[in-house]
Amino acid sequence: MYVVKEAQTLKVIDKEKTYLENAFEDVKEINSNNIIAIKNGKYGIVETSGQVKVNYIYDSLTYAYTDTYIAKKEGKYGIINILGEEKIPFNYSYIKYIEEANCINAQKENSQSEILDKELNIKAEGIICEINKDKNFIKMRVGENYKYYNFKLQEKENTEILTSNTIFLSKKNGKYGYVNEKGIVVVDYIYDDATEQNKYGYAGVKKDGKWGALDKTGKVILEPCYTLENNLVVDFIGKYYLAEDINANYYTK
């Protein structure tokens, strides 16, 4: 089906029929016979027959899967079904369906997220640091620790997930260090914060409020010297760190 405009009239058509002529202001999505349409500036769901299944009361509406929709109302996000029944309360600052992992990221005001499965059960809570679609994992900051989940939302050790790494982040007595794949310590627990080895082979380490970098063997290649308080993501390539504006996607000194 297609949304077309003819003689200033919007309508839905297929190869044989015309539907919903003059019934909406715009259409966002079509899923089978269910159409997310806009009327009087609000979103709802209408069938091709003209029957309204979800009233036009939402500020936004997005299809997730099966009969599940992400809705926004009064500045907050929640989840409804095709009957308009509220399945998840409107308590979130943002909700997104992660198709590759078949799960939902429901984010709160403080950047904390709840990861829900397709049955809307909470499987993990924390700050999402990375969703890696190549290696099929989600990395989360939970309190002062990092946790990893595969796309079945099963918690895994970093050694199970980061199979190409040579050193692995570890924490002991409130300090960070690194171990090898056998669990043997290769970098002592002396850092206040640290990152996993990235795809380029480097890891960031923080000490006394400043960041530096290690190579894939754990050798220091840049003593901690950068204050990166405004960087949402800390990442290094050699002595270069990822710029503050991560959308610019460049590294600098």
Side-chain angles (χ1 to χ4, degrees):
M1 291 188 288
Y2 303 88
V3 182
V4 300
K5 188 175 186 180
E6 184 177 23
Q8 304 304 311
T9 297
L10 281 169
K11 52 190 174 183
V12 176
I13 65 168
D14 60 21
K15 290 192 293 184
E16 300 175 351
K17 295 181 180 180
T18 296
Y19 309 91
L20 303 173
E21 191 168 340
N22 280 328
F24 52 81
E25 297 167 3
D26 203 353
V27 167
K28 181 178 181 182
E29 295 181 65
I30 300 176
N31 304 104
S32 187
N33 288 326
N34 299 317
I35 298 169
I36 299 179
I38 304 171
K39 192 173 183 179
N40 298 323
K42 296 290 185 179
Y43 290 73
I45 301 175
V46 60
E47 286 187 329
T48 52
S49 65
Q51 178 187 354
V52 176
K53 301 188 80 170
V54 174
N55 289 328
Y56 294 94
I57 60 173
Y58 297 103
D59 299 324
S60 74
L61 202 55
T62 304
Y63 175 75
Y65 55 88
T66 320
D67 289 335
T68 304
Y69 293 79
I70 298 167
K72 184 181 181 183
K73 182 171 64 174
E74 297 177 358
K76 295 287 187 178
Y77 286 83
I79 293 177
I80 64 171
N81 64 17
I82 193 61
L83 301 176
E85 298 169 335
E86 184 179 301
K87 306 304 289 184
I88 293 293
F90 287 78
N91 294 333
Y92 298 91
S93 60
Y94 181 71
I95 296 180
K96 182 179 181 180
Y97 175 58
I98 306 171
E99 185 175 0
E100 294 81 5
N102 278 325
C103 68
I104 288 173
N105 170 18
Q107 187 174 317
K108 301 177 181 178
E109 294 288 350
N110 57 3
S111 297
Q112 294 281 331
S113 286
E114 294 176 352
I115 302 297
L116 291 75
D117 63 18
K118 291 184 73 172
E119 286 71 45
L120 304 181
N121 301 307
I122 298 174
K123 306 297 287 186
E125 297 183 67
I127 297 174
I128 294 179
C129 303
E130 182 181 359
I131 299 173
N132 191 307
K133 298 175 184 178
D134 295 323
K135 296 187 177 181
N136 299 333
F137 71 81
I138 299 171
K139 178 183 177 182
M140 300 189 75
R141 179 92 177 208
V142 182
E144 295 184 352
N145 299 309
Y146 292 100
K147 292 189 176 183
Y148 292 83
Y149 300 86
N150 62 20
F151 278 2
K152 294 181 180 179
L153 302 184
Q154 299 166 327
E155 186 177 347
K156 297 291 182 178
E157 295 294 330
N158 56 355
T159 51
E160 297 177 274
I161 294 290
L162 307 173
T163 54
S164 61
N165 281 22
T166 52
I167 58 174
F168 301 88
L169 187 62
S170 180
K171 188 177 182 182
K172 185 177 180 180
N173 298 326
K175 294 289 186 178
Y176 292 90
Y178 291 85
V179 299
N180 63 17
E181 71 278 3
K182 296 180 180 179
I184 298 172
V185 175
V186 294
V187 175
D188 287 336
Y189 297 91
I190 61 173
Y191 295 106
D192 304 318
D193 201 354
T195 70
E196 288 284 3
Q197 177 186 338
N198 63 21
K199 63 182 179 181
Y200 306 108
Y202 299 98
V205 290
K206 186 179 184 181
K207 190 175 182 181
D208 299 327
K210 307 220 172 188
W211 285 91
L214 311 181
D215 68 11
K216 64 181 181 180
T217 67
K219 178 183 176 182
V220 176
I221 58 168
L222 177 69
E223 291 289 348
C225 60
Y226 291 122
T227 302
L228 305 177
E229 294 179 355
N230 296 323
N231 290 61
L232 294 175
V233 176
V234 173
D235 197 48
F236 282 87
I237 298 178
K239 297 182 179 181
Y240 295 82
Y241 64 87
L242 183 63
E244 186 175 315
D245 180 5
I246 58 174
N247 294 318
N249 196 29
Y250 68 89
Y251 289 74
T252 185
K253 286 171 98 170

